[in-house]
Amino acid sequence: MKSTDAKRGSGTLAVISLSSIPLVMTLGNSMLIPVLPTMEKKMSISSFQSSLIITIYSIFAIFCIPIAGYLSDRIGRRKVIIPSLILAGVGGIICGFAAGMGGKAYMFIMIGRALQGIGAAGAAPIVLPLVGDLFGEDEKKVSSSLGKIETANTFGKVLSPILGAFLAGVFWYLPFYAIPVLSGLSILLILFFVKAPKTNQKPIPFGEFIHSLRAVFKKDGRWLYAIFAIGGIVMLVLFGVLFYLSSTLEKEQAVTGVKKGLFLAIPLVSLCLASYVTGEKIEKNKVLMKWIIVTGLAVLAVTLCSAAFIKNIWGLLAIMFVSGIGIGACLPALDALITEGTEQEERGTITSLYSSMRFIGVAAGPPLFSVLMDKSAQWLFFTAALICVPALLCSFFAIDPKKKRHLQHV
């Protein structure tokens, strides 16, 4: 009994430790959003230049994630995660020091942000395959752990605007220094509580690996491409709507600072809770995972259509709260399907491609919705709902969990 309890406790600590990674990476990006207007004044830069401080992080992450996934399959997950967290911390230190450099500050901050993006690529996306490695024999544990990790990711989004505004109220560049501190804590947690399972399997040559990967997509490409597309669309809509809400609250309601962060947290709280509950309930039931994704996307599309007819800000926030439930239900189910449906040898690469699609959605959402905002709120929400339709069709027709070939490969 003691041995079982100890094992269970160790698993819990491992999940908590792994959850710190997406939390840190989310804070590292989103925490700067409320500080951008202050940066423009302090460094005498344009709003476009300040937006690039956010964009460069995602761009470097998008291109480096597949490389990190491949390396994690070849040399091990922790050997990629820990150096990546160190790199993210170094990037934060460079940004913090650059804040006092006058005219050269912007250039060095961009360099630091690029390093943080590379660090993010090798840290957060590798968590998904590592969970599969740790608990692969217990699909219920995998699903539950992925739900907790998605919850931590979302909690980071909830906390980011509030914490960023608070820290910037002390010193405008203090959010930069928060990242190396948080990265250091995450490294300690990984070193002490996450023990990757040992494998006697030797890494296969690169050419053979590519051949194997092609075979996977030839056999299981239908459901894999569907999950990639759904993940990208969901994140595009989420960050696009958050961008719209942020602009509307500040320009039309004169809500700024920490108060605006609290308002933006309303849809994110429902997303966070839905992620946690879904992760606990889906266990290893892949049929249930599919129908949760279908239902979540349907809820999202319907609420976005409804939002087009609402003028009151509180009514809009209430509708967005329900939208958050739809998105929050989808994400852990998508994570579980792709993590449990791939073998360990290619798991890091495939889940990293999925993470890249999510990052593309994050990067594309705000600029796309900024263009739609120039037309009208109704146009924006109807378009957002229409964007959800391909994801809904993919989830309904392309994901078939009853067929074993869609859940495993040779």
Side-chain angles (χ1 to χ4, degrees):
M1 182 65 72
K2 289 182 179 179
S3 175
T4 302
D5 291 340
K7 186 176 180 180
R8 187 182 295 114
S10 176
T12 300
L13 290 172
V15 172
I16 292 171
S17 301
L18 290 173
S19 296
S20 71
I21 296 174
L23 176 63
V24 171
M25 295 300 107
T26 300
L27 287 172
N29 200 31
S30 302
M31 192 165 53
L32 298 180
I33 291 175
V35 192
L36 293 180
T38 304
M39 291 184 184
E40 293 170 19
K41 295 175 184 177
K42 295 291 184 180
M43 294 188 290
S44 300
I45 59 175
S46 68
S47 58
F48 176 74
Q49 286 176 303
S50 71
S51 71
L52 292 180
I53 293 174
I54 301 297
T55 302
I56 194 170
Y57 180 96
S58 296
I59 288 175
F60 273 81
I62 288 166
F63 286 104
C64 292
I65 282 172
I67 299 171
Y70 170 75
L71 289 174
S72 79
D73 283 331
R74 306 278 69 81
I75 65 176
R77 315 294 187 208
R78 291 209 320 170
K79 291 179 181 178
V80 174
I81 288 175
I82 292 175
S84 297
L85 286 169
I86 293 172
L87 194 60
V90 170
I93 292 171
I94 290 174
C95 291
F97 273 117
M101 296 181 66
K104 295 182 179 179
Y106 180 73
M107 180 184 68
F108 282 97
I109 285 176
M110 293 293 282
I111 292 171
R113 291 291 291 161
L115 291 176
Q116 284 185 312
I118 297 170
I126 310 304
V127 171
L128 297 184
L130 183 51
V131 169
D133 297 348
L134 291 170
F135 309 113
E137 299 300 319
D138 186 348
E139 291 185 351
K140 179 180 177 181
K141 183 67 175 177
V142 171
S143 300
S144 175
S145 300
L146 290 172
K148 291 181 176 68
I149 286 165
E150 277 294 356
T151 301
N153 190 0
T154 308
F155 179 70
K157 294 179 177 66
V158 175
L159 187 61
S160 290
I162 302 169
L163 183 60
F166 173 77
L167 291 175
V170 182
F171 298 110
W172 71 269
Y173 50 83
L174 197 56
F176 288 131
Y177 283 113
I179 304 309
V181 174
L182 294 170
S183 296
L185 291 173
S186 188
I187 289 169
L188 291 175
L189 288 171
I190 299 300
L191 287 173
F192 283 105
F193 300 118
V194 178
K195 306 299 180 185
K198 293 182 179 179
T199 176
N200 295 322
Q201 189 170 7
K202 294 181 179 179
I204 61 176
F206 182 75
E208 189 177 336
F209 170 77
I210 293 298
H211 176 76
S212 174
L213 202 60
R214 286 176 179 170
V216 172
F217 279 99
K218 184 177 180 180
K219 183 180 180 183
D220 295 336
R222 183 180 177 184
W223 72 271
L224 286 173
Y225 292 135
I227 290 178
F228 289 173
I230 296 167
I233 289 170
V234 166
M235 298 309 288
L236 182 149
V237 171
L238 172 61
F239 276 81
V241 168
L242 287 175
F243 177 83
Y244 168 77
L245 283 176
S246 179
S247 298
T248 300
L249 285 167
E250 187 159 336
K251 294 178 182 178
E252 297 182 13
Q253 304 295 323
V255 178
T256 59
V258 174
K259 186 178 179 181
K260 185 174 79 170
L262 291 170
F263 275 55
L264 289 174
I266 291 174
L268 293 169
V269 165
S270 66
L271 199 160
C272 190
L273 292 173
S275 293
Y276 179 80
V277 172
T278 301
E280 291 296 308
K281 296 296 182 183
I282 55 179
E283 298 184 347
K284 57 182 180 181
N285 189 338
K286 294 177 177 62
V287 175
L288 179 61
M289 292 176 197
K290 170 181 175 167
W291 289 109
I292 284 176
I293 294 169
V294 171
T295 304
L297 290 169
V299 168
L300 180 60
V302 170
T303 52
L304 288 170
C305 278
S306 302
F309 301 100
I310 294 175
K311 305 297 183 182
N312 180 276
I313 188 64
W314 290 106
L316 182 60
L317 288 171
I319 285 290
M320 292 300 99
F321 183 89
V322 180
S323 294
I325 295 174
I327 296 174
C330 287
L331 293 177
L334 289 168
D335 293 348
L337 277 175
I338 201 164
T339 302
E340 296 172 22
T342 52
E343 299 292 344
Q344 185 174 359
E345 292 78 13
E346 296 93 14
R347 184 178 290 151
T349 302
I350 292 174
T351 57
S352 291
L353 292 172
Y354 166 65
S355 295
S356 287
M357 284 301 301
R358 286 179 53 159
F359 263 91
I360 290 171
V362 171
L368 174 62
F369 276 59
S370 69
V371 173
L372 295 173
M373 283 170 60
D374 292 336
K375 298 185 178 295
S376 70
Q378 283 192 329
W379 181 273
L380 181 146
F381 283 114
F382 282 138
T383 304
L386 190 62
I387 290 171
C388 294
V389 173
L392 184 59
L393 293 175
C394 283
S395 65
F396 189 84
F397 291 107
I399 300 175
D400 188 356
K402 292 181 180 180
K403 292 186 179 182
K404 290 185 178 179
R405 68 184 181 84
H406 285 175
L407 302 174
Q408 60 185 25
H409 58 74
V410 293

